[in-house]
Amino acid sequence: MGEQITFAIAAIGAVGFGVGVVFFKDAFRAAVSLIGTLLSVALLFIALLAPFAALIQIIVYAGAIVVMFLFVIAYVGPRGEIGPGSRKPWQVWLGLLGGALTALYEYLTNLALVPASGLTVTQIFAAGAAFSLVHVLNNSVVF
């Protein structure tokens, strides 16, 4: 029961701070929110009994990279915001096309793994393509 509570708190924190990283307009606040996200992920690592991964997460990412971000933000200073009319319509369509092509690639990759892995389509879509690819490699290369 305690593990589920820890996971729920860490997951809600990671998602909440992640939303803050994306939606804060002030770069300093977004970087501080990134620290919260990384600490929440480190708590998830601890809940998964991976203390080394949690330690590396805190030391390398929260302790070094984000501090460097904060230093650069403080050094450069505030910048003017980009107005809402600065995005061109072709950029929006290009982003939507990229997302659609990525989704199509994932779908076709999962379908290609069905005969090779021996798993059902439901199992592959539930577990994801990475798990299915590892399953195929373990059955055909390692064993």
Side-chain angles (χ1 to χ4, degrees):
M1 182 69 178
E3 296 90 8
Q4 293 175 345
I5 293 172
T6 304
F7 176 80
I9 291 171
I12 290 170
V15 171
F17 284 120
V19 168
V21 169
V22 173
F23 287 111
F24 278 139
K25 293 191 183 298
D26 183 21
F28 181 79
R29 290 183 184 195
V32 171
S33 186
L34 181 62
I35 292 174
T37 303
L38 295 173
L39 291 176
S40 297
V41 171
L43 184 60
L44 286 172
F45 282 138
I46 290 172
L48 291 170
L49 300 175
F52 181 74
L55 185 68
I56 295 300
Q57 177 84 12
I58 292 171
I59 291 173
V60 173
Y61 291 110
I65 294 176
V66 176
V67 171
M68 183 187 64
F69 287 168
L70 292 173
F71 176 75
V72 169
I73 290 167
Y75 183 71
V76 172
R79 295 177 47 196
E81 291 186 23
I82 298 173
S86 64
R87 184 176 296 140
K88 296 175 179 48
W90 64 269
Q91 292 173 328
V92 174
W93 288 108
L94 187 64
L96 291 173
L97 177 66
L101 289 175
T102 302
L104 179 65
Y105 172 76
E106 287 295 322
Y107 178 75
L108 293 176
T109 302
N110 285 336
L111 285 182
L113 290 173
V114 171
S117 66
L119 301 173
T120 65
V121 175
T122 308
Q123 289 172 331
I124 287 180
F125 282 120
F131 169 76
S132 304
L133 185 59
V134 168
H135 189 277
V136 168
L137 290 176
N138 279 340
N139 285 339
S140 62
V141 176
V142 178
F143 298 113

